[in-house]
Amino acid sequence: MADKRSGEERREKTDGGQGPIADTDLERRFADLSRTLDKGKRVRQAAEAPERTDSSGYALALRIASEFIAGVLVGAALGWGLDEVAGTSPWGLIGFLMLGFAAGVLNVMRAAGKIAGPYDRLDKDKDGGPARHD
């Protein structure tokens, strides 16, 4: 038996008599979802964009290498100076050389952006986080 009702009668039966209203609501929800997805896509693309476009890779590598070498050399110089003054050779050199190595690694991590700098935690109010100015 074929259903001989008109299209409007069938629509009333399938979506509760709210045909045009339900279609408008569905279109509005689809447009809202599209805008939300587009906004998320733009935010994700902005986050994936390279931060350092103005400096070359060689300049960054030179900076990182100099940060590490400076930490080790300063530690060695302080240890050698302590050994000369206090006469504790070679323990001052060994101790301060290890501290210089640790400082060099810390400086490299800061230069590469893997950890925050010493004052970055105080300036959280720039990005909306709580500010700590004690």
Side-chain angles (χ1 to χ4, degrees):
M1 209 189 235
D3 191 10
K4 296 182 181 179
R5 288 181 278 170
S6 69
E8 283 298 318
E9 290 175 2
R10 278 189 229 127
R11 180 179 292 166
E12 287 176 10
K13 185 176 182 181
T14 57
D15 50 32
Q18 301 176 0
I21 295 172
D23 289 344
T24 305
D25 184 46
L26 184 62
E27 289 173 6
R28 180 189 54 79
R29 289 175 33 203
F30 179 73
D32 289 344
L33 179 62
S34 296
R35 280 192 298 271
T36 303
L37 290 174
D38 288 340
K39 181 181 177 185
K41 186 177 181 180
R42 285 191 304 269
V43 167
R44 198 169 45 252
Q45 286 175 346
E48 292 174 357
E51 294 178 11
R52 303 175 195 264
T53 56
D54 58 336
S55 65
S56 68
Y58 292 118
L60 182 61
L62 185 64
R63 177 178 174 212
I64 288 174
S66 65
E67 293 276 350
F68 179 71
I69 291 171
V72 172
L73 289 179
V74 167
L78 287 174
W80 180 78
L82 178 69
D83 282 342
E84 289 296 316
V85 171
T88 57
S89 185
W91 299 110
L93 178 64
I94 292 171
F96 277 94
L97 190 63
M98 284 194 260
L99 285 174
F101 179 79
V105 170
L106 183 65
N107 287 338
V108 165
M109 297 293 283
R110 284 183 183 154
K114 299 296 180 185
I115 60 173
Y119 299 109
D120 290 344
R121 287 178 276 162
L122 297 176
D123 296 331
K124 289 286 186 182
D125 59 337
K126 291 181 185 174
D127 62 348
R132 288 185 51 213
H133 296 287
D134 299 333

